[in-house]
Amino acid sequence: MPNMSLEKVKMPEQAPDIRNKNFDEVAIGYTEEMAIEEAQRCLNCKHKPCVNGCPVNVRIPEFIEKVAEGNFSEAYKVITTTNALPAVCGRVCPQESQCESKCVRGIKGEPVGIGRLERFVADWYMKNGKDEVVKPELNGKKVAVIGSGPSGLACAGDLAKLGYDVTIFEAIHTAGGVLVYGIPEFRLPKAIVQKEIDKLSEMGVKVMTNMVIGKVLSIDELVDDMGFDAVFIGSGAGLPSFMGIEGEALVGVYSANEYLTRINLMKAYLDEYDTPINKSKAIAIVGGGNVAMDAARCAKRLGAEVYIIYRRSEEEMPARLEEIHHAKEEGIKFKLLTNPIRILDDGNGKVAGIECLEMELGEPDASGRRSPVAKEDSNFVIDVDSVVMSIGTSPNPLIRRTTKGLETNRRGCLIVNEDTMQTTREGIYAGGDAVTGAATVILAMGAGKKGAESIHEYLKNK
Amino acid sequence: MFKIVTKRELNDAVTLMEIDAPFIAKKAKAGQFIIFRLDKLGERVPLTIADYDREKGTVTIIFQKVGLSTKMLAEMNEGDYISDFVGPLGMPTDYEDFKKVAVVGGGVGNAIAYPQAKALHNMGVEVDIIAGFRNKDIVILEDEMKKASTNLYITTDDGSYGEKGFVTDKLKSLIDAGNKYDAVIAIGPVPMMKFVSLTTKPYGIKTLVSLNPIMIDGTGMCGGCRVTVGGEIKFACVDGPDFDGHLVDFDELMNRNSIYRTCEAEASEHMCTMNRLGKELIK
């Protein structure tokens, strides 16, 4: 008899007033008993709508059935047949718009906590599971993966399983892409990311850090001189956008990428690390996505009074519901329907405030979102000493500029055949944000997996 | 891990190191830079590539002890290893088809001006080097610069070596004496590059400067190194570090470079003369 409770088993969390002063993980995770109880809410539907909502089609009812039986080890095996990074996805996927949005239990009451269960299983296995990593026999073919973010890791993992000799080239000094420089410790502990990467290394995947492809080696050199039979580009969309308003060059204005890189990758908030970060008294984060929520919650933990400035209303915010909810609980102030027009100078080249206009929502635009329109003479100033621009990113031009024959669209995204992920050049595949522009971890992983399949298709007969 | 192959103290404050980095040595060109990180607690610090040896697989860096990381690096010895060394980053200098060039270096900036002069000299370009130093004690690379130039002019602020005065004085007198330069390449402290640009502007001489904003990743991902050039935002790490000196907003760059001054307070015992002069004039 399933557990017919309308609500998910509550996730134990650090209290808001405690967690907004530390970088430890906010959500503590289910115990075995909680996981079994939640798993019993699954009706094990025959048509499995949840699976279609998952970009990598995790066999959801099957793994949940194993959890309900208390067989966590088997549950892990079911998940990892299609998902290489369950501890990451269970934490950072926007489940409310993916698997859980399709859950039958969500029609009346809350859907099954699929993400929480996936996370529980992955964490349980990291602690208790016996990892017999089988190093597959090499098939003699070499594949280069550019970028060690979610798409590159997923692609490398799948190819290694198939016997390819895989080398990942990463530009910075630590592998993981946005998982290490972007998403903060309190949402995704870096030790977990490292464990997932270590697992790939045990499978034989080589990771070369400090290798900026397009500078130190070109894609053509990888193929012609170093003998790689195929290349997967998973270089992401890391180039930050600025608004182009007055005052963006003042001291105290950061891109979200810079702010988060200093904090997450360089650990600027810890004394023993050398990278500095200025502690703000009051800070404005401009934007409404997950990156904006991350930057805001980091700033709060560094002791600032934090404002999120977003030009539409809460309904249109692209951030995960849970992140918005967490941010509010932690004391972050939301200035909605507000658009910055100028950053003020204190006379010494530092930020003295941000001048904004009030907005109202007009007619829906082509994308279906109601576009914000400024109210006349509604100018007002928010008193801040720092500003973080979190209004989006686009793909870095380095690879497309240095590789002949790689076509891009006008936003600088690589053009691929969507069925095969092949770029406009034979043998070169791409996926993740480098193709779609800034999107989600799980979509990038899905693209990495698809890329691996196509590379296998391409190389097995070659 | 990257091995320190050679270490040489050029003066009390300036150190030269050759680092074993074959991938970078194979590709490096004048005007490009590297980023190093000492260990897992370290920060990422950019340094211009001063030289490279493609056969030996080494890259030479020359740096001044100004902050925590450069002081710690200077404490290390031949045979030691640093954790990370990435490059070559940035765009190489575009030499077009110059026939005669003045390369102007300020202080430790001469270490970076020198490979530019050498590259041009090897291309058969007539190169005048104007190398400015605070005083005799900190003069570096004199022999190397002599070999890489048609004429080498050394200036010191106090006249303790070479000619007394600033590089801008010397540059102006050379231009006024009828030297027709196709370009001036200025590398040194920001105020010095600013004043060289102001010196050449009335003459309409193309002036390239090598900017040194604060950087983290050096690959175009954070925009910490953004500078305004001709009214547009540029990222020095990918669009530069060389820019047209007549278009750069130097005051903005000086302001942005002061961001972490409080964090590195104890590190600034040395402030060069041009820097002080620049500060006074900008006020």
Side-chain angles (χ1 to χ4, degrees):
Chain A
M1 182 63 202
N3 167 4
M4 291 312 290
S5 162
L6 291 182
E7 284 173 18
K8 291 180 188 174
V9 173
K10 263 185 107 53
M11 182 70 138
E13 284 176 350
Q14 284 195 73
D17 263 359
I18 294 172
R19 71 177 192 242
N20 67 11
K21 295 171 193 70
N22 68 51
F23 277 79
D24 298 339
E25 196 171 14
V26 166
I28 295 159
Y30 279 164
T31 60
E32 293 186 9
E33 294 71 27
M34 289 173 186
I36 291 170
E37 190 189 339
E38 179 62 23
Q40 286 168 345
R41 292 185 63 230
C42 176
L43 302 176
N44 207 350
C45 312
K46 283 223 159 50
H47 65 305
K48 306 178 176 69
C50 52
V51 175
N52 297 325
C54 172
V56 298
N57 304 119
V58 167
R59 290 149 57 197
I60 294 167
E62 270 177 77
F63 98 75
I64 292 183
E65 195 178 12
K66 299 290 177 200
V67 176
E69 291 165 4
N71 195 344
F72 309 129
S73 186
E74 282 302 310
Y76 182 79
K77 281 184 193 142
V78 174
I79 296 174
T80 48
T81 54
T82 61
N83 185 353
L85 307 172
V88 174
C89 296
R91 286 174 165 84
V92 305
C93 276
Q95 288 101 3
E96 71 266 18
S97 55
Q98 296 179 339
C99 54
E100 292 181 18
S101 74
K102 302 278 199 315
C103 176
V104 169
R105 292 298 303 267
I107 299 168
K108 193 179 162 201
E110 287 185 337
V112 173
I114 300 167
R116 295 169 179 193
L117 290 172
E118 181 181 42
R119 169 195 159 138
F120 165 79
V121 170
D123 289 359
W124 184 92
Y125 198 83
M126 264 186 202
K127 214 154 72 202
N128 307 302
K130 272 201 251 35
D131 246 334
E132 315 112 24
V133 175
V134 192
K135 225 174 162 174
E137 203 164 310
L138 291 178
N139 65 18
K141 284 174 186 150
K142 285 168 68 179
V143 180
V145 172
I146 299 166
S148 63
S151 71
L153 292 178
C155 184
D158 281 13
L159 286 170
K161 277 185 202 159
L162 292 166
Y164 291 92
D165 179 359
V166 182
T167 306
I168 300 180
F169 294 91
E170 167 55 48
I172 58 170
H173 57 263
T174 308
V178 75
L179 306 176
V180 297
Y181 77 74
I183 303 174
E185 186 75 23
F186 55 81
R187 213 147 73 74
L188 178 64
K190 301 307 149 219
I192 286 172
V193 180
Q194 193 53 50
K195 274 189 191 157
E196 303 275 30
I197 292 167
D198 290 346
K199 238 186 284 168
L200 290 183
S201 304
E202 282 167 40
M203 268 162 55
V205 174
K206 284 168 263 191
V207 181
M208 290 188 73
T209 52
N210 295 316
M211 296 295 273
V212 184
I213 301 303
K215 285 290 177 191
V216 70
L217 288 170
S218 67
I219 286 185
D220 291 294
E221 285 169 317
L222 290 175
V223 175
D224 299 340
D225 305 345
M226 297 183 74
F228 285 99
D229 299 290
V231 178
F232 179 83
I233 303 171
S235 51
L239 187 79
S241 306
F242 288 90
M243 288 186 79
I245 58 175
E246 187 186 328
E248 275 183 312
L250 292 170
V251 167
V253 183
Y254 301 87
S255 73
N257 268 9
E258 178 182 357
Y259 195 70
L260 290 171
T261 298
R262 283 182 183 275
I263 292 169
N264 299 323
L265 178 70
M266 307 309 295
K267 303 266 180 277
Y269 62 93
L270 296 173
D271 284 344
E272 66 264 36
Y273 286 78
D274 296 340
T275 302
I277 190 148
N278 280 347
K279 294 215 171 156
S280 317
K281 282 194 199 72
I283 191 164
I285 316 289
V286 181
N290 285 317
V291 177
M293 297 304 136
D294 285 343
R297 297 173 69 199
C298 283
K300 186 75 192 179
R301 283 158 172 76
L302 292 170
E305 184 175 0
V306 186
Y307 300 91
I308 296 252
I309 299 181
Y310 182 56
R311 63 197 181 118
R312 302 178 201 248
S313 70
E314 187 169 329
E315 220 169 285
E316 287 83 22
M317 275 199 163
R320 282 183 71 194
L321 282 179
E322 187 177 310
E323 305 313 319
I324 296 171
H325 176 68
H326 276 149
K328 282 185 176 168
E329 280 184 340
E330 288 167 14
I332 284 150
K333 293 171 186 144
F334 283 62
K335 297 275 183 189
L336 302 169
L337 289 164
T338 302
N339 199 32
I341 51 165
R342 186 161 71 106
I343 301 166
L344 308 177
D345 188 335
D346 73 346
N348 291 309
K350 297 192 176 61
V351 172
I354 186 163
E355 186 176 336
C356 302
L357 286 176
E358 286 176 27
M359 310 295 279
E360 54 197 352
L361 289 180
E363 293 302 304
D365 62 14
S367 71
R369 285 210 293 186
R370 295 175 68 194
S371 47
V373 186
K375 285 191 205 167
E376 252 178 82
D377 298 323
S378 62
N379 305 47
F380 66 103
V381 171
I382 304 175
D383 192 14
V384 293
D385 59 15
S386 304
V387 175
V388 173
M389 287 296 170
S390 179
I391 54 167
T393 55
S394 58
N396 190 310
L398 197 52
I399 284 174
R400 65 174 192 259
R401 275 187 199 158
T402 54
T403 313
K404 280 206 187 85
L406 271 191
E407 281 171 39
T408 55
N409 67 18
R410 67 193 161 79
R411 290 179 302 139
C413 303
L414 293 170
I415 292 172
V416 296
N417 172 329
E418 279 173 32
D419 295 327
T420 63
M421 309 311 283
Q422 191 192 303
T423 64
T424 47
R425 271 187 59 177
E426 193 194 322
I428 300 177
Y429 296 76
D433 288 3
V435 169
T436 56
T440 62
V441 168
I442 189 73
L443 283 173
M445 287 186 48
K449 294 179 75 69
K450 212 193 239 182
E453 264 169 48
S454 301
I455 288 172
H456 181 49
E457 236 5 83
Y458 167 67
L459 288 181
K460 75 180 178 199
N461 302 317
K462 214 187 149 193
Chain B
M1 298 291 275
F2 297 82
K3 189 178 182 181
I4 301 169
V5 181
T6 313
K7 177 187 177 183
R8 191 148 60 91
E9 314 256 337
L10 300 185
N11 64 37
D12 286 351
V14 180
T15 309
L16 173 151
M17 279 181 181
E18 248 184 302
I19 311 287
D20 186 37
F23 277 112
I24 309 176
K26 205 173 154 195
K27 276 293 168 67
K29 287 188 178 152
Q32 292 186 297
F33 65 96
I34 57 90
I35 282 185
F36 75 86
R37 189 179 74 131
L38 292 175
D39 58 21
K40 77 179 184 45
L41 301 179
E43 58 186 338
R44 293 171 65 95
V45 180
L47 287 175
T48 304
I49 295 170
D51 212 343
Y52 47 81
D53 187 325
R54 302 214 198 277
E55 263 148 48
K56 253 168 84 186
T58 58
V59 171
T60 303
I61 49 173
I62 298 177
F63 57 95
Q64 191 169 11
K65 291 174 248 183
V66 285
L68 183 68
S69 296
T70 42
K71 279 178 186 164
M72 283 166 68
L73 180 58
E75 294 290 310
M76 296 175 77
N77 290 307
E78 287 175 9
D80 290 347
Y81 287 84
I82 54 177
S83 174
D84 302 288
F85 197 77
V86 56
L89 300 169
M91 302 296 284
T93 304
D94 180 5
Y95 295 125
E96 298 178 27
D97 42 2
F98 302 143
K99 302 257 176 333
K100 181 167 178 164
V101 171
V103 175
V104 185
V108 74
N110 283 293
I112 305 155
Y114 156 68
Q116 302 267 12
K118 188 171 130 183
L120 286 159
H121 190 70
N122 289 344
M123 289 161 63
V125 177
E126 193 180 333
V127 180
D128 284 356
I129 298 182
I130 307 168
F133 299 94
R134 206 155 27 102
N135 60 47
K136 181 172 186 281
D137 299 338
I138 63 162
V139 173
I140 53 168
L141 299 172
E142 187 177 355
D143 292 338
E144 286 89 343
M145 291 193 290
K146 199 168 261 168
K147 278 189 210 133
S149 61
T150 316
N151 299 294
L152 170 66
Y153 306 98
I154 292 183
T155 68
T156 50
D157 299 358
D158 62 0
S160 55
Y161 195 71
E163 292 178 48
K164 183 174 170 27
F166 297 133
V167 287
T168 42
D169 303 331
K170 186 67 203 174
L171 177 62
K172 190 167 188 320
S173 73
L174 284 170
I175 296 169
D176 289 340
N179 284 284
K180 294 255 179 286
Y181 296 116
D182 299 312
V184 170
I185 297 177
I187 301 169
V190 183
M192 172 261 178
M193 291 191 282
K194 172 180 170 166
F195 291 115
V196 168
S197 300
L198 289 175
T199 304
T200 56
K201 197 164 185 191
Y203 299 94
I205 303 172
K206 185 183 177 73
T207 300
L208 289 174
V209 293
S210 178
L211 301 187
N212 54 352
I214 292 173
M215 287 187 190
I216 311 174
D217 62 290
T219 63
M221 154 182 131
C222 83
C225 68
R226 63 193 187 275
V227 288
T228 303
V229 181
E232 279 178 51
I233 295 182
K234 299 279 182 190
F235 290 2
C237 71
V238 287
D239 301 317
D242 288 350
F243 291 101
D244 180 341
H246 297 151
L247 298 177
V248 170
D249 187 336
F250 288 104
D251 297 349
E252 180 189 287
L253 174 60
M254 268 181 269
N255 180 47
R256 287 189 59 77
N257 276 353
S258 74
I259 298 176
Y260 297 108
R261 195 131 302 155
T262 46
C263 300
E264 47 187 46
E266 87 285 5
S268 61
E269 80 269 57
H270 162 72
M271 189 195 262
C272 94
T273 345
M274 291 301 279
N275 194 7
R276 197 182 66 230
L277 184 75
K279 283 233 152 68
E280 279 162 12
L281 282 166
I282 287 157
K283 255 182 215 162

